[in-house]
Every structure is written in C-alpha cells, then in structure tokens.
C-alpha cells in the first residue's frame, strides 16, 4: 500500500491510484481497462475551469469545531471562504449544532512576498489565529504561490507547535500539483493521521467511524438499532474526537472518493478495519455494506434483523415508485463514487441511466480491494451505462451530452452544474445531502423527490424559454469528446 505516514506530503492520486480526468465511452469499458491496468488519461486540449485540491482540504478541515485553518496563499485563493462558511452553517443546522462562523484566515500573500518569502507573514498569522481563537489545533493549507516560492511551511509549523503546545499541522495541497482535486481530501486526512490521531488506549467495540461530508444524522438511529454508535468524521468533530478515531471497531464511508485514504490509513496504522463493500445506495449495495459491517463487529444477527425489517417497511412504497418511474431516462453528474452510487439508486428505482458526467475516475482505491469498487458494483448489478464521460466539471461537454440525450431528468450533486439542465428545459434535481439517498429509506426519499421534479416541469421550461444558451450549434453538433486527446 502506498501510504507513507512519515512523509509530510501525500502522494497525489494520479501517482498513487492511477486516477484520470478524461474518458468517454461505456462504463464497462472503463471498469475493464481499470482492472487490466490499461487505463490511459485522455487529456483535454480545451478546459473551461478546474477545481483545486486546496478547496477540498479546506472544506473538511474548516468543519473541525475547535480548530483554526490558515490558508497560506494570496487572497484570490480565499474566494471560496464564504462557501465554506455557508456549508458549515448548513451542516450545523442539520446536526443541531449551535451556529458559528468558520474559523478561516488567509496570510494574504502579495507580489512582494513572492520575492522576499511569506514565512514572516505565516508566523504572524499563526500568532493571530492563536490569540484570537485559542484553538486546540491549527492547520496550515498551502497554495500554488507558497509552493512555488518554496516557503518552509513544515519547519514553521513545527516551531509554532513547540511554542504553542498544540498541534500545528502543515497540509501541502497546492492546486498545481494534481488535476484531481480530491487529492485535497487526502492531504487533509494525511495531516490528521500524521499529527492528530493518537494510538488507542482501549478499543471501543460499539464505535464506528463514519467518514462523511456534512449531511443529516441518519446513523445514530440506524446504528443504534444494531447496538453501534457513529463517530462522525471529519465535519463537526473536535480534536479530542479525532485523536480517538484509532479506538473504533470499524470505519465506514459514505463515499470512497472522499474516504479512501483515511479509511485505509486507519487500518494500516491502527488496525481499525475498513468496511470494504460497495456504497450503501440501492438495495444490493446497502445489503452488502451492512452485512460487512455486521461481520466485522460481530453483529450479524442484528444486521439481518435490520435488513429484514427495513425491507418489509419500504417494499410496498418502493414497488409503487418503481411502477411510476419505470423507464424514465436520467442523466447524472457528480464526483466519482457518489455518481456511481446515484446510478445504483436510480436503476433500483426502475429508471434508465442514459449517461453520466463524472469528475474523475480512480481505477482502484487505497485498500486495493475489488469489493468496494463502486462503478464495478453498479455495472455488474444493474448493467452497462453508455455515454459515460469522465469530465472534470467541463460544462461544455456536459451541455453537449445533455442536449443530445435529452433525458427526462437531470440529477446533479453540485450547484454549479445543475443550472445547465434548467437552461435546456430538462427537469433538474440537485441534492447536496448525500445521506438523503443512503440506505433503504434513501430509495424512497429519492423516488419521491424524482417524482415531484418530473411532475413540475414548468419552472425549468420557463427558464429555458427565457435564457440564451452560450454554446453555438456548431459545438452542439460535435461529439462530446471532441476536445479529448487520443484513446
Ligand atoms: S491554490 Fe492554486 S489552483 Fe488553488 S485557488 Fe490558489 S492559485 Fe488557484
């Protein structure tokens, strides 16, 4: 396994997992090439926008309740600070946590600092962060500018830690390092496992680490029914909670794209077993996920009872939803594994998934297990998906595919992408809470929501009637992969 916890830097996904950002074809072809080690990245010769690792690292770290995050960067890299504050507050509302602004500072590197170095500014900002917030830990995320000028952030962090007697953690996540911005999740988790998590003093048989974003709390009830308790990480945890992650009986994750590195690191470093199963979306994935958790925790009997009672509860309504949704054509856009989970979910509702724009592809996860591979699970269980595009948020490719395929519904995970469905007059469903679709209840939640959206198309029809598409007919008549390099 390629996890080296001694190094301050995480190896980027392209090098560690062989991940790619360019592909167009069938999902089965992508799975087969991944298995056979024949996956090549088709490079985009034109790119409209990209995400940044730094943003993905920040979005996790900023939700630790008693920490401060310093972005060692020019102010432009902080343009998304307000988004983090917003998601922080949305999540706090969902979890009934008192509202509080995100604790985020920027060192505000200027042109002069890129010549003379930004070390002094960083030292001053660490002092300011400590004096202002008295945090239990400080995380320092880096940027293209601080990376290029070569500020010795690691040494400055070590010295501050010595002085302040709290962890001061260097998180190298410069945007230029990787085209796959989920590398930022890995960088944040690497820093946490390296500097925050402590060796277990005891093992807690009922505590399950749940690597998740900031969705609703559904696991207190679900796990409670099988005698287990969720330990939600990273959002809304405290430093003391993170220190004890090593004591858990197992680690589950909402999405392997998010948690692959952390789950594998906890297993490698502290022997916390990772539940290696497809994500718990759709009946079969949920069955496998819970059964694997039951096997690891010795709760097989309780899990079988939970599965039986949940299925008895949902099946009457599920059958009615399947009847109504049968044959409806959906197109999906989402980050990698959550997109695969949505495919399973919609197929289980009787819908056809005509295509997908997924932001990147990991041919394997850090645990190197076949069991948890989310796209393989979706294809093997529900059949192939044509028009499967690995498209790192390139709107022009998405619009091209949507315009050609004209699905009945467009399901998006990210706000910036959903607008394109509406502009084309396609009923569009945006869902940011990943727990909404999880488990047996998730099928009912999604099925009812999709029905609502299909039954009220006037909104998007009006938007389409009054908006001008920026793309020309020339582009809409090309193949979606026109700007992807050789196969
Ligand atoms: S770190 Fe680099 S890629 Fe990220 S926002 Fe700053 S300049 Fe842009």
């Amino acid at each position: 396994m390629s996890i080296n916890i001694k190094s301050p830097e995480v190896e980027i996904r392209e090098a560690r997992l062989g991940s790619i950002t360019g592909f167009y074809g069938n999902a089965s072809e992508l799975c087969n090439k991944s298995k056979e080690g024949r996956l090549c990245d088709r490079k985009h010769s034109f790119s409209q926008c990209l995400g940044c690792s730094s943003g993905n690292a920040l979005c996790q770290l900023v939700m630790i309740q008693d920490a401060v995050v310093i972005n060692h960067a020019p102010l432009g890299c902080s343009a998304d600070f307000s988004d983090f504050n917003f998601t922080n507050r949305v999540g706090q509302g969902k979890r009934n946590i008192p509202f509080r602004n995100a604790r985020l500072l920027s060192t505000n590197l200027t042109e002069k600092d890129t010549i003379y170095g930004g070390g002094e500014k960083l030292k001053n900002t660490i002092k300011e962060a400590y004096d202002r917030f008295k945090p239990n830990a400080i995380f320092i995320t880096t940027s293209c500018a601080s990376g290029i000028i070569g500020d010795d952030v690691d040494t400055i962090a070590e010295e501050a830690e010595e002085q302040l007697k709290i962890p001061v953690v260097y998180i190298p996540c410069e945007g230029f390092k990787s085209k796959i911005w989920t590398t930022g999740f890995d960088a944040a988790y690497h820093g946490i496992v390296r500097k925050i998590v402590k060796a277990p003093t005891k093992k807690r048989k009922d505590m399950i680490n749940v690597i998740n974003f900031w969705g609703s709390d559904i696991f207190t009830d679900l796990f409670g029914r099988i005698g287990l308790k969720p330990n939600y990480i990273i959002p809304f945890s405290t430093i003391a909670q993170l220190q004890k992650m090593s004591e858990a009986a197992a680690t589950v994750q909402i999405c392997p794209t998010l948690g692959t590195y952390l789950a594998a690191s906890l297993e490698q470093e502290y022997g916390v077993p990772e539940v290696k199963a497809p994500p718990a979306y759709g009946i079969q994935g949920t069955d496998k996920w819970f059964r694997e958790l039951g096997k690891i925790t010795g709760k097989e009997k309780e899990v079988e009872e939970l599965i039986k009672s949940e299925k008895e509860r949902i099946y009457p309504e599920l059958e009615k939803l399947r009847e109504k949704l049968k044959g409806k054509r959906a197109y999906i856009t989402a980050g990698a594994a959550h997109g695969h989970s949505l495919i399973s979910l919609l197929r289980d509702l009787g819908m056809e998934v005509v295509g997908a724009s997924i932001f990147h592809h990991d041919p394997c996860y850090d645990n190197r297990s076949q069991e948890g591979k989310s796209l393989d699970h979706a294809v093997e269980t529900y059949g192939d998906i044509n028009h499967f595009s690995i498209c790192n948020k390139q709107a022009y490719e998405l619009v091209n595919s949507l315009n050609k395929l004209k699905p009945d519904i467009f399901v998006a995970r990210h706000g910036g992408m959903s607008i394109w469905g509406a502009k084309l007059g396609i009923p569009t469903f945006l869902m940011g809470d990943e727990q909404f679709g999880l488990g047996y209840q998730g099928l009912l939640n999604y099925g009812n929501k999709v029905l609502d959206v299909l039954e009220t198309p006037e909104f998007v029809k009006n938007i389409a009637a009054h908006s001008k598409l920026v793309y020309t007919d020339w582009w809409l008549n090309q193949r979606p992969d026109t700007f992807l390099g050789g196969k």
Side-chain angles (χ1 to χ4, degrees):
M1 195 162 61
S2 49
I3 290 174
N4 176 9
I5 223 67
K6 304 234 163 24
S7 163
E9 304 217 11
V10 71
E11 200 176 6
I12 61 171
R13 285 209 185 187
E14 291 94 322
R16 209 175 75 237
L17 305 177
S19 308
I20 61 155
T21 53
F23 171 86
Y24 187 80
N26 294 340
S28 60
E29 184 192 343
L30 185 60
C31 293
N32 291 338
K33 282 186 168 171
S34 299
K35 258 185 232 148
E36 293 157 8
R38 291 191 299 115
L39 191 59
C40 292
D41 198 6
R42 292 184 64 193
K43 295 197 169 50
H44 287 89
S45 59
F46 169 65
S47 184
Q48 279 185 309
C49 63
L50 282 178
C52 163
S53 295
S54 165
N56 279 43
L58 280 166
C59 82
Q60 289 290 300
L61 297 170
V62 80
M63 292 199 187
I64 301 171
Q65 296 290 287
D66 51 353
V68 174
V69 187
I70 296 172
N71 189 211
H72 188 38
L75 211 51
C77 300
S78 314
D80 43 9
F81 274 20
S82 60
D83 292 349
F84 301 134
N85 206 32
F86 173 71
T87 43
N88 202 16
R89 282 176 160 258
V90 168
Q92 286 164 345
K94 283 187 181 152
R95 303 268 178 98
N96 289 326
I97 298 167
F99 290 117
R100 204 210 58 199
N101 285 337
R103 292 167 169 177
L104 263 168
L105 299 175
S106 165
T107 51
N108 186 18
L109 291 178
T110 60
E111 201 174 345
K112 199 169 150 196
D113 301 316
T114 62
I115 299 164
Y116 295 107
E120 281 310 305
K121 265 194 173 170
L122 178 59
K123 285 178 195 170
N124 292 339
T125 313
I126 294 172
K127 184 176 178 319
E128 175 71 23
Y130 188 76
D131 292 345
R132 210 193 282 185
F133 300 110
K134 295 284 177 300
N136 289 328
I138 295 173
F139 294 92
I140 304 165
T141 57
T142 54
S143 63
C144 296
S146 56
I148 289 168
I149 62 178
D151 279 346
D152 188 357
V153 179
D154 198 20
T155 303
I156 294 171
E158 297 275 347
E159 286 170 3
E161 181 168 298
E162 190 68 31
Q163 202 187 345
L164 300 174
K165 310 288 181 229
I166 57 165
V168 179
V169 188
Y170 163 49
I171 308 285
C173 53
E174 297 88 350
F176 66 73
K177 263 193 197 158
S178 170
K179 282 197 296 177
I180 297 161
W181 49 81
T182 48
T183 292
F185 293 143
D186 309 337
Y189 295 153
H190 184 77
I192 287 170
V193 176
R194 193 168 73 90
K195 301 278 284 193
I196 305 289
V197 182
K198 290 189 179 332
T201 49
K202 58 176 179 194
K203 280 284 182 185
R204 291 185 49 186
K205 286 186 182 161
D206 62 345
M207 184 174 96
I208 308 299
N209 293 325
V210 180
I211 305 173
N212 76 131
F213 292 95
W214 38 84
S216 325
D217 171 20
I218 59 168
F219 290 105
T220 301
D221 171 55
L222 268 177
F223 284 180
R225 288 160 65 184
I226 52 176
L228 300 173
K229 289 184 191 142
N231 180 37
Y232 283 109
I233 51 178
I234 298 297
F236 315 117
S237 58
T238 60
I239 293 297
Q241 268 170 283
L242 296 179
Q243 285 170 339
K244 291 182 182 301
M245 273 195 273
S246 56
E247 296 180 359
T251 301
V252 297
Q253 43 186 319
I254 294 304
C255 168
T257 295
L258 172 73
T260 169
Y261 191 80
L262 179 54
S265 303
L266 288 171
E267 182 163 315
Q268 176 186 292
E269 295 298 309
Y270 297 109
V272 181
E274 173 187 351
V275 168
K276 300 177 189 80
Y281 294 81
I283 295 284
Q284 297 220 31
T286 307
D287 286 354
K288 286 184 180 171
W289 193 88
F290 268 107
R291 286 193 172 120
E292 187 60 23
L293 176 63
K295 202 158 89 187
I296 291 174
T297 55
K299 299 277 184 189
E300 288 101 326
K301 187 168 151 286
E302 291 86 343
V303 162
E304 290 309 323
E305 283 165 10
L306 177 82
I307 291 175
K308 185 166 174 286
S309 71
E310 280 292 280
K311 285 184 178 171
E312 281 171 3
R313 181 178 70 81
I314 68 154
Y315 265 149
E317 189 178 344
L318 180 60
E319 287 309 324
K320 284 185 199 152
L321 286 168
R322 282 173 170 164
E323 199 55 44
K324 289 180 187 162
L325 293 170
K326 195 169 164 197
K328 295 287 180 203
R329 301 165 71 250
Y331 193 95
I332 291 170
T333 185
H338 192 67
H340 310 154
S341 299
L342 294 180
I343 291 169
S344 298
L345 183 57
L346 298 182
R347 295 291 283 261
D348 227 337
L349 285 166
M351 298 174 70
E352 185 190 347
V353 176
V354 292
S357 292
I358 302 295
F359 301 158
H360 81 273
H361 186 71
D362 300 315
C364 61
Y365 297 127
D366 284 287
N367 59 30
R368 299 298 193 267
S369 155
Q370 284 297 319
E371 304 308 315
K373 289 177 77 174
S374 45
L375 185 60
D376 295 64
H377 164 73
V379 170
E380 282 159 20
T381 312
Y382 302 100
D384 207 355
I385 300 113
N386 300 324
H387 310 289
F388 196 88
S389 159
I390 300 301
C391 148
N392 48 0
K393 281 198 179 176
Q394 302 305 323
Y396 68 92
E397 284 186 9
L398 171 71
V399 171
N400 183 304
S401 294
L402 279 178
N403 186 58
K404 284 198 172 72
L405 295 168
K406 298 200 170 24
D408 296 309
I409 188 165
F410 173 45
V411 179
R413 158 98 166 118
H414 296 83
M417 304 301 271
S418 57
I419 186 62
W420 296 107
K423 279 177 182 256
L424 288 163
I426 299 166
T428 296
F429 169 26
L430 169 70
M431 176 44 68
D433 182 343
E434 54 292 332
Q435 264 90 292
F436 183 77
L438 193 137
Y440 304 102
Q441 179 62 34
L443 279 154
L444 303 187
N445 293 346
Y446 250 77
N448 283 308
K449 190 74 191 168
V450 168
L451 269 184
D452 278 354
V453 174
L454 288 174
E455 283 166 6
T456 51
E458 292 77 16
F459 178 61
V460 287
K461 299 260 179 272
N462 272 330
I463 291 180
H466 294 95
S467 52
K468 189 167 179 289
L469 207 59
V470 293
Y471 298 103
T472 61
D473 287 344
W474 173 82
W475 168 242
L476 296 176
N477 288 325
Q478 305 302 309
R479 283 176 55 100
D481 61 345
T482 300
F483 290 109
L484 276 182
K487 291 190 182 190

